Amino acid sequence: MKKILLTLFLIAPLSLLAQVSGTIQGIIIEDETNDPLPFVTVALTPEGSNAPTAGCSTGEEGTFRLNNVKAGKYTITISFVGYLDESRNISITSGKSNINLGTIRLKSDRKLLKEVVVTEQRSQMSFEIDKRVFTVDQSLATTGGSASDVLAEIPSVEVDNEGTVSLRGSESVTVWINGKASGLTSDNQGDILQQLPAGSIEKIEVITNPSAKHSPEGTAGIINIVLKRDRKAGYYGSVQGGMDSRLGYNAGGNINYSSGKLDAYAGLNYRNMRFENEGITDTKYFGSNQYQKQTNIGSHNPNNIFGRAGLTWRFTQKDELYANVMGMFGGGRHNNEISAISGPIGSDGTYADPTQRMTRTTTQQGKPTMYNVELGYTHRWSDTHFIDFSVGHHQWQQQRNSIYRQTTEIIGIDTISSYQFQDGLNKSKSTEIKLDYEYKINDNHRIEAGYKGDLSDDNSPVITYTDEEHTQLDEKQYNQFRYKQNIQALYTTYSGRIGKFGYQLGLRGEYWNVKTQSYGYEQEQSGNIPGYTSSNFFKLFPSAFLSYEITKGQEIQANYTRRLRRPWGGQLNNFENISDSTNISFGNPGLTPEYSNAYELNYLKNWDNHTLSLSGYYRTTEDVIERISYSSGVGRVIYTTFENVAKTQSAGLEIVSKNRLFKVLDLTTTVNLFYYKLDAFEYIINGQTITGDADENFSWNARMTANVMLPWSISLQATGRYDAKRIVAQGYREPSYSLDLGLRKMFDQHWSISVNARDILDSRGRHTVTINDTFYRYSENSHGGRTFGFTLTYSFGNMKAKRPDRKQMQEMPSSGYDDMGGMGDM
C-alpha cells in the first residue's frame, strides 16, 4: 500500500504538469524607428529539437500571441527579412504559464542593407536521396518562355519539336504538376507544357526511380513541375512583360499573401508566341525503285491566358483546408506547306527527272481550354505524423479545325486538286482521389500508406468534308473514338535505419480497367455501333532502397523498382491521320502495357564548394511500345503506327557535378553515358511483314550550365548541350547540339530586366534516319530557331519594411507539396 501511495505521490505532479498549457505574447518593433513590424515570423522550438512545433506572424501593430503552449522548455526565434534574428529561452510551468516578452527590438542587418556589388544567385541544383531538384525560377535563358523551354534546359531531359518529353533517352516518363497528374496525359501533355508560362515554375524535380508510394507509370521515372507558391510572411508579388525577336510577347503578374492562419496566391499570364518550323525529307522506296524529296515550312502562333489561384486555411494548429485552381484558354493558328517531287531512281543510284510534283498546304486553328480544381484536407498530429486527403478534377478540350489543299501534277499527263476540311475535337476529363498517411515513429523508423483512384474519360470525334461549303462528308475520314480508364491503387512503405544503414521496402498494388470504342460513319448510320472493348489488369509493383553513410557528406545508395508504361488513347485509335497525305499515322487497339525492372546504384559526395553524384543504372523492358513505319505496295505513302516490338536493355552512368569557383562562378555539369540494346522483331501489319533487326549501340550526352555573378548587380548564365548519335527502332538519330545565353540586371529591390538568346547557334533540331525492308528515309526538322528576347519585371510587397533582394528567398517552414523522397529524412 505504501508503495502505491508513493508512486501516486510521484506521478501526480507530473500529471498536473502535463496538463499545464500557457500563452506567449509580445510586440516586435524596428530598433531605429520604433515602428511596429508586421508579418514578422515567430517560431517556437522545443528544447532538444531543431524543428519548430508552433509559430505565427505579427499583426499590423507588430503584436503576436501563441496559445495552448504545452508545459516545457522552448526557444522562441523572431526573424524577418533584412533584420538580425532574435531568440529567447523560455519555460512554461504550472507556476508561470502566461509569458509576456514585452517589446522586442529587431536590428537591421547592415551587411544585407549595404549596396550590393555582386548579385548572389541561389544554387540551381540540389540532391536528395532519390531525386535531383532544379531551381528554375532564376533561369535566365527561359525567361518569358514556356514549361517546355524550362524542361529542355534540365540535365537528362529532352523535349522534341512536338513537345514530347523524354528522360535519359526514353519517352516513357510521367510528368506531374505539384506532385499530381493534374490531367496531363500523353495526348495533351505537349500542348499544355508549351503554353504553361516558365515564370510560374519554381523548380523541377527529377525522380529516376520512384518508390512504391508513387504511380509506377513511366518506366524512365517521374518529372514533377512545382509551381511557385511562396510562403514568406506578408504580401508580395511581381508583374512582368516581355517580347522576343519573332514579335512574340507575354505579360503577367502574381501576388501572394501569408499569415499565421492563411496562405493565398493568384497569378495571371498572357502569352502570344510565334514559331517557325522547317524540314526536309529524302525517301528511297526499294520495291518501286522510286524517290521522293520533300520540303516543308510553317508557322505557329499560339496565344493563351493562363491563370492559377490557391488558398490554405490553417483553422487549428493541427488542421488545414486547401483549394487550388488552374486554368487556361486561348487559341492559335498553324500554317504549313509541303512541296514534294518524285520520280525513278537510275541504275547508278542517281535521281532521274521528276515525274510528279505535289504541293499540300495546311491551315489549322485551335482553341485549347483547360481547368484543374483540387480540394484537400490535412490533419497533423505532429510534423512527422499526418494524413492528407485530396480530390482533384481536370478537364481538357482542344478544338481543331484543319483545311488541307493539295495539288498533284503528273508531269505531262494531268493535274489533280483536292480539298479537305477536318473538324476534330480532343476532349478529356479525369478525377483523382488521394489519401496519404505518414507516421515517423522515431528518428529511425517511418511508415507510409495510402490509396489513389484515377478515373479518366477521353472523347475524340473527327468529321471530314471534301468541299469548301462543308456539305459533302468524307465517310472514310469520319471517326468516333472513346477511351476510358479506371485505376485503383493501394501502397505501403516502411523505412528504417540501423546505424549508418538505411532502408525502405515498399509494395504497390494496382488494378485498372481500359475501355475503348471506335467506329466510322457507316457503322453509325446503320446503327451497328460496336460496344466497348474492355481489358482488365492487376499487377504488383515492389520497390526497395538501401543506403549507407560512409562519412558525413558521403553516401552510397542502391535501389530497385518495377514500373510500367500504359498505352494512351491516341496510340490505341486506329483512325488514320491525313495531315500529310504521304505520311499517314494511326493507332493500334491491340497494344498492351510495357513493363520495366529498374536498378540504380548511386554515390554522393559533398565538399564545401563542390558536389559529385555518380548514378549507375540498368533497366530491362518487355513489350516495348515503339513507332513502326512501312510503305504500302508500290505507292509513295509511308504509314506509321505503334507496336509492342520487343525487349530492350539499357544501362548507363550519369555523372553530375556542381562546382563553385572563385566565389562568382557556379558550374553544373551532367554527362550521361549509356548503352542500349533492342532485340529483333517481326510483325504483320495490314498484310505486310514488317521486320526490325537487332541493334545495339553506345551513346552519350552532356550538358553544362554556368552562372556568373558580375559586378553592378548583373548575372550571366550560359547553357550548352550535346547529344551523340543514338539508335531508335528502325534507324538512328544523328548528333545535335545547342547553346543558350541569358543576362539579368537588377536596378534596385523592385526593378530588373532579363535578356536572353535561345538556340544562339541555330542548331536545335532533329536529324533522323529510318530504314527497313521497304524504304530508306532521311529527315531534318527544326522548330523555333534562334530567338532573342527580353523581360522587364517589377517586384512589390511588404512595403512597410525594407526587404533587400539578396534575401528574397527566405521562407517560412512549411509542408510544401507532396514529399517525393523515397527515403525521406532518415
Side-chain angles (χ1 to χ4, degrees):
M1 185 65 179
K2 290 182 179 181
K3 291 183 178 180
I4 294 175
L5 292 175
L6 180 60
T7 301
L8 293 174
F9 177 77
L10 293 173
I11 291 177
L14 297 177
S15 300
L16 291 173
L17 182 62
Q19 296 174 4
V20 172
S21 63
T23 61
I24 305 171
Q25 59 184 329
I27 182 170
I28 313 298
I29 67 172
E30 217 272 351
D31 183 59
E32 295 181 359
T33 65
N34 291 324
D35 291 335
L37 289 176
F39 311 119
V40 175
T41 300
V42 180
L44 190 66
T45 305
E47 184 180 48
S49 174
N50 294 322
T53 56
C56 66
S57 300
T58 57
E60 292 289 339
E61 302 303 321
T63 59
F64 71 91
R65 182 184 179 93
L66 294 171
N67 297 314
N68 301 318
V69 181
K70 295 181 180 180
K73 295 182 179 181
Y74 299 91
T75 297
I76 189 167
T77 303
I78 295 95
S79 58
F80 191 53
V81 175
Y83 293 85
L84 298 172
D85 291 353
E86 285 288 332
S87 299
R88 300 284 192 277
N89 294 322
I90 58 174
S91 297
I92 299 291
T93 65
S94 58
K96 191 177 182 181
S97 59
N98 297 314
I99 297 176
N100 190 334
L101 295 176
T103 300
I104 300 175
R105 295 176 175 271
L106 288 189
K107 297 180 180 180
S108 299
D109 189 342
R110 297 294 182 182
K111 292 181 180 180
L112 291 177
L113 293 179
K114 69 181 181 180
E115 181 182 359
V116 177
V117 177
V118 178
T119 302
E120 183 177 353
Q121 286 190 333
R122 184 172 14 170
S123 176
Q124 286 200 311
M125 183 173 68
S126 60
F127 294 84
E128 296 187 19
I129 196 68
D130 73 333
K131 65 181 175 182
R132 289 189 300 277
V133 181
F134 300 88
T135 302
V136 298
D137 59 349
Q138 295 190 59
S139 175
L140 306 184
T142 59
T143 303
S146 67
S148 292
D149 297 326
V150 173
L151 289 174
E153 298 295 321
I154 301 299
S156 302
V157 178
E158 294 180 53
V159 183
D160 67 14
N161 296 340
E162 288 73 43
T164 302
V165 180
S166 59
L167 176 61
R168 287 179 174 174
S170 172
E171 294 180 5
S172 178
V173 57
T174 297
V175 180
W176 284 346
I177 297 178
N178 291 342
K180 296 180 173 64
S182 301
L184 266 68
T185 67
S186 297
D187 281 317
N188 62 32
Q189 175 180 288
D191 290 316
I192 293 177
L193 295 179
Q194 288 177 341
Q195 298 178 74
L196 178 67
S200 65
I201 302 173
E202 177 184 352
K203 59 186 178 182
I204 304 292
E205 297 176 334
V206 178
I207 315 161
T208 54
N209 223 13
S211 72
K213 176 180 179 179
H214 308 296
S215 169
E217 183 72 46
T219 56
I222 295 171
I223 297 174
N224 184 36
I225 300 172
V226 179
L227 302 182
K228 290 179 179 177
R229 186 186 172 190
D230 289 340
R231 295 184 73 171
K232 299 183 292 287
Y235 72 94
Y236 37 87
S238 65
V239 292
Q240 62 178 213
M243 180 175 287
D244 63 37
S245 56
R246 298 186 183 277
L247 300 183
Y249 57 92
N250 66 90
N254 66 86
I255 187 168
N256 301 265
Y257 172 80
S258 183
S259 67
K261 288 186 175 294
L262 194 68
D263 290 338
Y265 67 90
L268 191 66
N269 295 83
Y270 174 74
R271 300 180 73 243
N272 191 312
M273 299 290 100
R274 299 177 185 272
F275 304 100
E276 295 180 359
N277 61 276
E278 59 183 11
I280 61 171
T281 302
D282 191 347
T283 308
K284 300 176 183 178
Y285 300 91
F286 300 141
S288 59
N289 204 32
Q290 296 276 320
Y291 73 88
Q292 182 185 71
K293 299 181 69 174
Q294 178 177 297
T295 62
N296 71 80
I297 186 170
S299 63
H300 187 39
N301 175 218
N303 59 87
N304 67 88
I305 294 176
F306 176 84
R308 51 188 296 266
L311 183 70
T312 299
W313 176 36
R314 291 182 286 276
F315 56 95
T316 74
Q317 290 186 348
K318 296 182 177 180
D319 301 277
E320 68 179 37
L321 293 171
Y322 57 90
N324 301 291
V325 61
M326 176 174 63
M328 178 182 70
F329 67 92
R333 186 180 181 89
H334 178 71
N335 298 318
N336 194 66
E337 180 175 305
I338 299 173
S339 300
I341 59 172
S342 57
I345 301 176
S347 58
D348 59 354
T350 60
Y351 291 175
D353 291 337
T355 58
Q356 183 173 298
R357 291 188 179 94
M358 184 272 289
T359 300
R360 183 176 180 85
T361 61
T362 301
T363 303
Q364 186 178 89
Q365 289 187 333
K367 294 181 179 180
T369 304
M370 179 271 284
Y371 75 84
N372 186 80
V373 179
E374 180 189 16
L375 301 174
Y377 165 74
T378 302
H379 176 78
R380 295 183 179 276
W381 292 275
S382 69
D383 286 343
T384 58
H385 187 197
F386 63 88
I387 190 168
D388 181 83
F389 175 75
S390 65
V391 178
H393 181 73
H394 178 91
Q395 285 203 184
W396 161 264
Q397 180 173 301
Q398 174 75 290
Q399 179 77 46
R400 281 196 177 102
N401 294 327
S402 305
I403 296 176
Y404 305 104
R405 301 178 186 271
Q406 181 169 317
T407 300
T408 302
E409 178 189 4
I410 304 174
I411 297 175
I413 299 178
D414 194 9
T415 299
I416 303 170
S417 298
S418 65
Y419 170 94
Q420 289 177 317
F421 173 83
Q422 193 170 85
D423 185 1
L425 176 66
N426 185 349
K427 185 175 182 180
S428 66
K429 59 183 179 180
S430 62
T431 300
E432 183 180 87
I433 304 170
K434 287 191 67 179
L435 179 66
D436 294 303
Y437 171 81
E438 181 175 327
Y439 179 38
K440 186 176 179 181
I441 304 170
N442 53 43
D443 289 341
N444 295 323
H445 301 280
R446 183 176 68 174
I447 188 171
E448 296 173 290
Y451 158 81
K452 180 183 177 183
D454 195 345
L455 306 173
S456 61
D457 186 352
D458 295 354
N459 191 8
S460 306
V462 175
I463 301 175
T464 307
Y465 297 94
T466 57
D467 66 317
E468 298 194 21
E469 290 73 28
H470 304 160
T471 60
Q472 298 178 14
L473 186 69
D474 186 343
E475 298 180 5
K476 294 182 178 180
Q477 294 296 322
Y478 180 97
N479 179 252
Q480 297 285 339
F481 179 71
R482 198 76 177 266
Y483 171 74
K484 296 182 179 182
Q485 187 168 247
N486 178 1
I487 303 174
Q488 302 293 318
L490 293 171
Y491 77 87
T492 183
T493 68
Y494 183 84
S495 305
R497 179 173 288 279
I498 303 173
K500 293 186 175 183
F501 285 96
Y503 63 89
Q504 185 206 78
L505 301 176
L507 182 64
R508 185 182 187 95
E510 287 205 354
Y511 161 83
W512 68 99
N513 170 261
V514 177
K515 293 181 178 180
T516 59
Q517 182 187 49
S518 180
Y519 56 91
Y521 179 78
E522 183 177 326
Q523 292 169 298
E524 184 178 77
Q525 293 300 306
S526 65
N528 188 27
I529 298 177
Y532 283 94
T533 299
S534 180
S535 300
N536 297 295
F537 304 87
F538 175 77
K539 295 291 181 180
L540 294 175
F541 300 92
S543 67
F545 290 74
L546 298 173
S547 67
Y548 177 71
E549 185 181 8
I550 303 171
T551 61
K552 186 175 182 180
Q554 186 175 199
E555 187 170 7
I556 190 169
Q557 184 213 42
N559 59 59
Y560 160 78
T561 64
R562 181 164 174 81
R563 302 188 60 76
L564 88 160
R565 178 191 184 189
R566 299 180 181 93
W568 46 274
Q571 292 177 325
L572 298 170
N573 186 7
N574 57 8
F575 175 71
E576 295 184 348
N577 184 339
I578 62 169
S579 57
D580 181 350
S581 62
T582 63
N583 297 278
I584 296 176
S585 61
F586 59 95
N588 176 8
L591 284 179
T592 59
E594 63 178 54
Y595 298 93
S596 178
N597 293 296
Y599 307 83
E600 283 195 9
L601 180 63
N602 302 314
Y603 170 80
L604 179 64
K605 171 63 176 176
N606 287 301
W607 295 271
D608 290 339
N609 294 308
H610 307 279
T611 299
L612 175 65
S613 170
L614 303 177
S615 297
Y617 58 91
Y618 175 71
R619 184 172 63 239
T620 61
T621 306
E622 304 169 354
D623 297 328
V624 175
I625 300 173
E626 285 278 6
R627 291 182 178 88
I628 300 299
S629 299
Y630 64 95
S631 64
S632 178
V634 296
R636 301 183 181 93
V637 178
I638 291 180
Y639 294 86
T640 301
T641 186
F642 299 90
E643 283 287 353
N644 296 102
V645 293
K647 294 182 180 180
T648 64
Q649 299 178 60
S650 58
L653 175 65
E654 191 171 57
I655 306 169
V656 182
S657 69
K658 291 172 52 184
N659 301 279
R660 185 173 180 84
L661 306 173
F662 317 115
K663 296 184 179 181
V664 297
L665 174 63
D666 278 311
L667 291 179
T668 301
T669 307
T670 303
V671 178
N672 187 22
L673 313 169
F674 58 92
Y675 164 83
Y676 180 81
K677 180 180 179 181
L678 174 67
D679 290 350
F681 59 86
E682 180 177 307
Y683 290 94
I684 297 178
I685 304 176
N686 293 335
Q688 186 166 331
T689 301
I690 310 300
T691 62
D693 295 332
D695 203 353
E696 58 184 325
N697 82 325
F698 170 81
S699 187
W700 62 280
N701 57 59
R703 188 180 316 229
M704 175 179 286
T705 298
N707 290 290
V708 185
M709 296 172 286
L710 301 174
W712 308 293
S713 300
I714 296 176
S715 304
L716 173 68
Q717 184 182 92
T719 300
R721 176 186 63 86
Y722 179 82
D723 291 296
K725 177 182 176 181
R726 187 172 71 201
I727 67 168
V728 295
Q730 294 183 301
Y732 58 89
R733 189 179 304 162
E734 292 192 342
S736 64
Y737 57 92
S738 67
L739 176 65
D740 299 326
L741 298 176
L743 188 73
R744 175 181 290 147
K745 162 67 177 173
M746 303 291 296
F747 294 100
D748 54 31
Q749 62 182 3
H750 297 295
W751 291 96
S752 69
I753 187 170
S754 298
V755 181
N756 59 45
R758 298 269 303 160
D759 195 13
I760 195 169
L761 302 177
D762 200 18
S763 57
R764 182 176 276 127
R766 177 168 290 188
H767 300 187
T768 306
V769 171
T770 304
I771 185 170
N772 58 25
D773 292 338
T774 60
F775 71 91
Y776 169 92
R777 165 169 288 183
Y778 171 78
S779 62
E780 294 182 8
N781 291 284
S782 66
H783 178 74
R786 184 187 297 115
T787 307
F788 301 92
F790 76 91
T791 300
L792 184 66
T793 302
Y794 174 77
S795 301
F796 61 88
N798 280 4
M799 303 308 294
K800 287 189 177 182
K802 298 177 181 179
R803 302 181 65 243
D805 46 55
R806 286 189 64 183
K807 289 204 71 178
Q808 285 180 348
M809 285 74 72
Q810 177 176 315
E811 297 185 4
M812 293 175 59
S814 74
S815 59
Y817 298 105
D818 291 346
D819 173 21
M820 306 292 293
M823 298 291 287
D825 52 2
M826 293 176 4

